[in-house]
Amino acid sequence: MATVDERSRRWLDRQSVPSLEWLRLVLGLVVPTILVVVWHLLVVTGVFSTHQLPEPLTVATTLYGMAATGELWGHVFITLQRVALGVLFGVTVGIVFGTATGLFSLVSDLFDPLFQSMKNIPSLAWVPLFLLWFGIGEGAKVALIALGAFFPVYLNLSTGIRNVDDELREVVEVYDVGWPTALRNVVFPAALPSLLVGIRGGVGLAWMFVVAAELIAASQGIGFLLSDGRTLSRPDIIIGSILLFAFFGNLSDLGVKAIQRRVVYW
Amino acid sequence: MLDVQNLTKRYDDTIALTDVDFTAAPGEFVAVVGPSGCGKSTLLRVLAGLEPDFDGRVTVNDTPVDDGGSADVGVVFQDPRLLPWATVRENVRLAAPDDASDAEIDDLLERVGLEGFETALPGELSGGMAQRVALARGLAYEPEALLLDEPFSALDALTKVEQQAFLLEVWHSVEATVVLVTHDVEEAAYLADRVVVLGSQPGTVVDRIDVDVERPRERTDERLLDVRERITTALGL
Ligand SMILES: Nc1ncnc2c1ncn2[C@@H]1O[C@H](COP(=O)(O)OP(=O)(O)O)[C@@H](O)[C@H]1O
Ligand SMILES: [Mg+2]
């Protein structure tokens, strides 16, 4: 019994998936491509000197060279590992506190003001303290990234749980749904979209925090490459590192988005 | 047995209901009719125990609703209020006893004409089908009294007639008390044993009409037309 809406939606889906989606993807590449061409022209015509801004091709060659010698992979791997561990811890703690504060107003009254006031502290401000506490080892960096990933998860999940639709709460009340069932079947699913929005934000912040950590206290990692490029006056390495961050940042965001679509299936 | 005595319900400055007296005997089908805003939904919410503050005495089987009496009352809200992430079957299971089997729930779904949609998600259903899931959920609760808030108002005329017939069938088979809120005069007269007419501003009972017409009824029965006439007069239309 398909309604008109359903039928037209299915029709649209069939039509738009191959052609329109591809067209939009290609359109999105137009401006970046122009920028690269303009960049190339500006350097070749001497508007920028090559030790400030290298040619696009130089950047590519540098990255390729580092990849070929294997030097690049160590940096990439350690950065990915830090982000992954930081996200894992940050999201876990965020889920614990988000759930507790969302469900119990007493816990919320105790912790929420603290977290709310902490969330606006810039990432760089934490670095010296974390170095002092955790030393310059991996612990300090992972802890810093976890802190970054924690806040969006905590904030979104907490409000997501607290803002479960009143209408659904009344259904739970009228039909005497028990606590465990209500949590599992109503409250948590209702808060799931918020949780995923939080995780997306958390992964984004994890990338910001890993740069902060690696710029200041690392001997390996993409962030270290970045600062090393400045020390060595190698703009190609700096720009290459930025592009690496862009690539992996986008990749992780696409990954979380794909999970989001699967988990929030309704 | 539902019993409402001297019910007055205020929302801040608005008086939604004043001095409402209302009873429904076990197994009785009572329709509550009134213009929109006269407090029909409010009356159901009080009976369902969803409104903690009110004046008067409201009991279900002699237990006050604010003292656990509403436990035996099921509500089908004006909108279906289904869980969008749960299948039709899981939505119904939410209200069913813990030991209810899939087969029992599917049986209920078959009765509301949703055979084959057990694993569909609410987003895939039409409005009328979603409302029937809500009805099945209300029945799964096995309530003493089932309160229905304008369940058919969003349906087209044909589906409405179908659903009314279905509701009567269900009512006969489960022997529950039914309170049906509606603003459809024809519907009230055709379905109910008794019609309670609410007037507005502030909402209060303006007439009670017994519908002494044996079932099954003909929609065109003269006596039903008389009942409709009387409801319309009471409403001041
Ligand atoms: N939660 C509320 N807060 C304030 N006023 C309300 C609330 N619910 C209902 N009312 C008011 O109470 C009156 C009766 O509402 P309601 O019971 O929904 O009427 P009906 O269902 O007959 O259309 C209306 O004037 C409405 O504005
Ligand atoms: Mg209403």
Side-chain angles (χ1 to χ4, degrees):
Chain A
M1 210 168 96
T3 61
V4 176
D5 267 1
E6 265 173 308
R7 257 182 273 131
S8 60
R9 199 182 62 222
R10 277 192 219 128
W11 183 84
L12 268 175
D13 282 350
R14 259 204 310 278
Q15 298 303 306
S16 62
V17 164
S19 54
L20 216 81
E21 287 289 305
W22 273 107
L23 183 67
R24 293 183 58 196
L25 212 69
V26 172
L27 277 179
L29 290 175
V30 170
V31 177
T33 309
I34 294 175
L35 279 179
V36 170
V37 172
V38 170
W39 167 14
H40 178 79
L41 291 177
L42 285 177
V43 179
V44 173
T45 55
V47 177
F48 286 103
S49 73
T50 46
H51 55 260
Q52 275 181 331
L53 187 68
E55 282 173 59
L57 205 61
T58 317
V59 174
T61 325
T62 305
L63 280 182
Y64 180 76
M66 287 170 72
T69 61
E71 187 195 347
L72 186 66
W73 304 118
H75 294 296
V76 167
F77 176 78
I78 195 81
T79 297
L80 289 180
Q81 184 186 311
R82 285 168 185 152
V83 170
L85 284 175
V87 165
L88 187 71
F89 289 124
V91 168
T92 306
V93 179
I95 288 177
V96 170
F97 277 96
T99 307
T101 53
L103 290 178
F104 308 105
S105 57
L106 175 68
V107 182
S108 175
D109 289 343
L110 281 172
F111 286 97
D112 196 60
L114 174 71
F115 290 146
Q116 291 290 346
S117 51
M118 277 172 72
K119 71 167 195 248
N120 293 320
I121 299 174
S123 49
L124 282 171
W126 291 105
V127 174
L129 192 63
F130 276 57
L131 288 179
L132 200 68
W133 284 353
F134 301 101
I136 50 166
E138 284 307 295
K141 291 182 265 291
V142 170
L144 188 71
I145 296 161
L147 184 74
F150 165 79
F151 284 106
V153 175
Y154 163 75
L155 294 169
N156 280 284
L157 182 57
S158 182
T159 43
I161 289 178
R162 242 176 294 133
N163 294 348
V164 173
D165 208 347
D166 280 341
E167 302 202 331
L168 291 184
R169 285 181 193 276
E170 288 186 354
V171 169
V172 166
E173 200 180 325
V174 162
Y175 292 119
D176 291 329
V177 182
W179 252 97
T181 314
L183 283 186
R184 191 171 27 137
N185 293 349
V186 183
V187 178
F188 289 144
L192 201 58
S194 309
L195 173 64
L196 276 136
V197 168
I199 291 179
R200 259 186 97 180
V203 170
L205 277 184
W207 284 102
M208 313 235 327
F209 277 64
V210 79
V211 178
E214 289 183 346
L215 271 180
I216 291 171
S219 53
Q220 229 189 350
I222 307 176
F224 165 77
L225 268 185
L226 206 58
S227 73
D228 201 38
R230 196 193 62 90
T231 323
L232 302 172
S233 298
R234 286 281 301 276
D236 52 336
I237 295 183
I238 296 179
I239 292 176
S241 310
I242 292 175
L243 289 178
L244 284 174
F245 274 126
F247 176 74
F248 287 110
N250 273 311
L251 199 66
S252 59
D253 190 52
L254 283 177
V256 181
K257 232 157 88 177
I259 295 174
Q260 198 173 19
R261 266 201 303 272
R262 288 201 67 138
V263 176
V264 185
Y265 55 84
W266 57 90
Chain B
M1 152 106 179
L2 305 176
D3 190 25
V4 175
Q5 289 170 26
N6 274 317
L7 171 64
T8 295
K9 170 71 197 164
R10 290 184 190 81
Y11 292 105
D12 302 321
D13 297 339
T14 337
I15 301 176
L17 294 167
T18 40
D19 271 337
V20 171
D21 292 308
F22 169 88
T23 56
E28 197 179 15
F29 194 132
V30 180
V32 177
V33 195
S36 83
C38 72
K40 305 184 294 296
S41 297
T42 305
L43 176 61
L44 291 198
R45 293 176 58 80
V46 171
L47 281 166
L50 292 172
E51 296 289 345
D53 298 320
F54 58 84
D55 298 316
R57 185 176 158 77
V58 182
T59 58
V60 178
N61 291 334
D62 300 321
T63 313
V65 285
D66 35 3
D67 197 19
S70 58
D72 295 329
V73 174
V75 183
V76 178
F77 294 95
Q78 208 158 347
D79 41 351
R81 302 198 184 185
L82 303 178
L83 307 174
W85 46 82
T87 61
V88 165
R89 186 189 285 142
E90 293 312 310
N91 264 289
V92 174
R93 188 192 300 286
L94 193 70
D98 289 339
D99 55 359
S101 66
D102 276 6
E104 286 170 285
I105 290 172
D106 291 356
D107 186 50
L108 213 51
L109 286 171
E110 195 188 321
R111 290 227 305 255
V112 298
L114 286 172
E115 207 181 350
F117 289 92
E118 295 83 2
T119 56
L121 291 174
E124 298 164 344
L125 305 178
S126 70
M129 291 161 85
Q131 196 61 34
R132 275 182 278 163
V133 178
L135 182 53
R137 182 175 62 186
L139 294 169
Y141 189 57
E142 298 173 357
E144 294 269 323
L146 189 59
L147 316 179
L148 301 129
D149 196 350
E150 305 195 27
F152 308 135
S153 61
L155 304 181
D156 60 90
L158 220 67
T159 323
K160 194 171 181 165
V161 168
E162 223 175 84
Q163 294 295 302
Q164 288 169 346
F166 165 70
L167 178 60
L168 285 178
E169 206 182 297
V170 167
W171 171 59
H172 284 306
S173 64
V174 300
E175 294 174 345
T177 308
V178 168
V179 178
L180 173 79
V181 158
T182 177
H183 57 231
D184 182 338
V185 174
E186 195 270 335
E187 177 172 282
Y190 175 66
L191 293 175
D193 294 325
R194 213 149 48 80
V195 180
V196 174
V197 184
L198 292 185
S200 62
Q201 263 118 39
T204 191
V205 178
V206 292
D207 203 358
R208 294 185 176 77
I209 304 154
D210 290 319
V211 188
D212 287 320
V213 181
E214 64 287 355
R215 302 171 191 267
R217 294 170 175 173
E218 287 292 329
R219 282 178 192 271
T220 48
D221 193 307
E222 283 291 334
R223 291 166 293 174
L224 288 184
L225 295 183
D226 290 344
V227 171
R228 281 157 67 175
E229 187 77 38
R230 196 168 147 196
I231 299 171
T232 317
T233 313
L235 287 170
L237 299 174

